[in-house]
Amino acid sequence: MLSIPYNGRVVLRFVTGTHPTTGNPIISARSWGNVKPEAADQAVYDIAVGLASLGVFSVADIRRFENKILEG
């Protein structure tokens, strides 16, 4: 079997408020696609932090998803 790296995506999850009853954080997400598989994790992180700084909500976490094509 062969796996070929394919464009992924990065997801920023933001804390947009607090649930009035439970007090748990309310999380909203925004994602961007076409993240090249050869992009270094640090570079993707730096861009995500830059994008997050344009908004008003605090970042809960940053996630990177990588896609691969599997061929037999």
Side-chain angles (χ1 to χ4, degrees):
M1 185 194 55
L2 175 66
S3 66
I4 302 166
Y6 188 71
N7 290 345
R9 62 188 171 106
V10 63
V11 177
L12 275 71
R13 293 177 6 116
F14 300 96
V15 178
T16 57
T18 305
H19 191 277
T21 307
T22 64
N24 292 333
I26 298 172
I27 305 292
S28 295
R30 176 80 171 116
S31 66
W32 289 267
N34 294 324
V35 176
K36 302 296 181 193
E38 61 272 7
D41 287 339
Q42 185 64 50
V44 173
Y45 176 81
D46 291 343
I47 295 294
V49 168
L51 290 169
S53 72
L54 299 173
V56 296
F57 299 113
S58 62
V59 176
D61 58 43
I62 299 170
R63 300 177 180 195
R64 180 178 184 173
F65 295 92
E66 297 175 341
N67 294 323
K68 293 183 180 184
I69 297 172
L70 300 178
E71 293 182 355

